[in-house]
Amino acid sequence: MKKALKLLIILALLGGVSFCVMYWYIDNFSKNTKPEKSDIILVLGCQIWGREPSWSLEYRLQKALELYREGYAGYMIVSGGQGKDEETTESVVMKDWLVKNGVPKDRIFEEDQSTSTYENFKLSAEIMEKQSFHSAVVVTNDFHIFRSLKIAEKLGIKATGAPAPAVKHLRAYSLFREVLSVVKTYLLDF
């Protein structure tokens, strides 16, 4: 019984250390991620409140607008379907916000069916192929950029990242969830 208990303790410690290393790596990955000029800016969806972006989504939109104004790309894809508790699609809210802030409607493509990060990329890749776009700057919150770029790579999308800030009081929780999502992605999705 003592050997089994020691083994459980060792496994728990290894799991805890692995979790902490991954938490640190994901957190630091975004600090070293820089966008490159591309064909499009791909803005990943996030929760909306009614017909307004949540704080996290607004940070993403602000970053995308900044990149657009700086000339990183001349077109955007806003990617996000409608969640169970949402009255419209995330893509509609994102497009409306960007248009209100000066981006011409004809410069924004909507992907409005996705319900996960993987689907954001898979369905946006179809738009990219149809429009002959070959590269993307991915905009999402900093804690989400590592997994996002790995999914893009897996799907053959040439992408760089432009991390938007996370909501400060939710950052630790968001990173914790993201570590679990990375583990799930590697174990189940790939």
Side-chain angles (χ1 to χ4, degrees):
M1 189 64 151
K2 287 184 180 181
K3 285 184 180 182
L5 183 58
K6 284 181 183 179
L7 182 60
L8 281 175
I9 290 170
I10 290 169
L11 290 174
L13 287 172
L14 286 174
V17 168
S18 297
F19 186 91
C20 291
V21 167
M22 189 173 286
Y23 185 101
W24 174 86
Y25 184 80
I26 291 169
D27 187 31
N28 282 289
F29 183 86
S30 67
K31 295 172 186 165
N32 299 309
T33 302
K34 303 288 183 237
E36 294 177 9
K37 291 200 177 210
S38 299
D39 295 329
I40 60 139
I41 298 165
L42 173 55
V43 190
L44 302 184
C46 187
Q47 182 183 23
I48 56 174
W49 297 328
R51 292 199 161 270
E52 298 296 321
S54 63
W55 295 324
S56 290
L57 185 54
E58 184 144 355
Y59 286 148
R60 294 178 189 191
L61 293 167
Q62 289 169 353
K63 185 67 171 182
L65 183 62
E66 172 189 321
L67 293 167
Y68 178 79
R69 288 178 174 164
E70 291 175 1
Y72 277 89
Y75 292 91
M76 293 188 186
I77 296 176
V78 290
S79 179
Q82 184 172 353
K84 292 176 187 169
D85 59 346
E86 295 174 336
E87 67 179 66
T88 190
T89 65
E90 295 164 1
S91 64
V92 165
V93 171
M94 291 190 283
K95 185 173 184 176
D96 288 348
W97 189 96
L98 289 164
V99 169
K100 284 178 192 171
N101 284 280
V103 180
K105 281 183 184 180
D106 65 348
R107 294 291 174 156
I108 305 169
F109 295 89
E110 276 187 78
E111 182 290 297
D112 62 1
Q113 299 299 309
S114 59
T115 59
S116 68
T117 304
Y118 179 82
E119 289 179 359
N120 286 138
F121 283 102
K122 185 173 185 281
L123 298 171
S124 294
E126 293 172 9
I127 295 171
M128 289 177 68
E129 185 175 334
K130 186 176 180 181
Q131 299 298 323
S132 297
F133 295 138
H134 304 289
S135 60
V137 177
V138 177
V139 178
T140 189
N141 301 99
D142 56 10
F143 61 84
H144 191 226
I145 203 80
F146 171 76
R147 182 166 56 102
S148 297
L149 291 177
K150 290 300 179 189
I151 292 171
E153 180 183 327
K154 179 71 174 174
L155 291 172
I157 299 169
K158 182 182 175 193
T160 58
V167 177
K168 286 188 181 182
H169 70 277
L170 298 175
R171 191 158 199 292
Y173 171 73
S174 297
L175 269 164
F176 177 85
R177 283 190 57 207
E178 191 61 20
V179 170
L180 298 177
S181 294
V182 167
V183 170
K184 175 191 168 281
T185 295
Y186 276 94
L187 291 178
L188 302 177
D189 294 342
F190 291 151

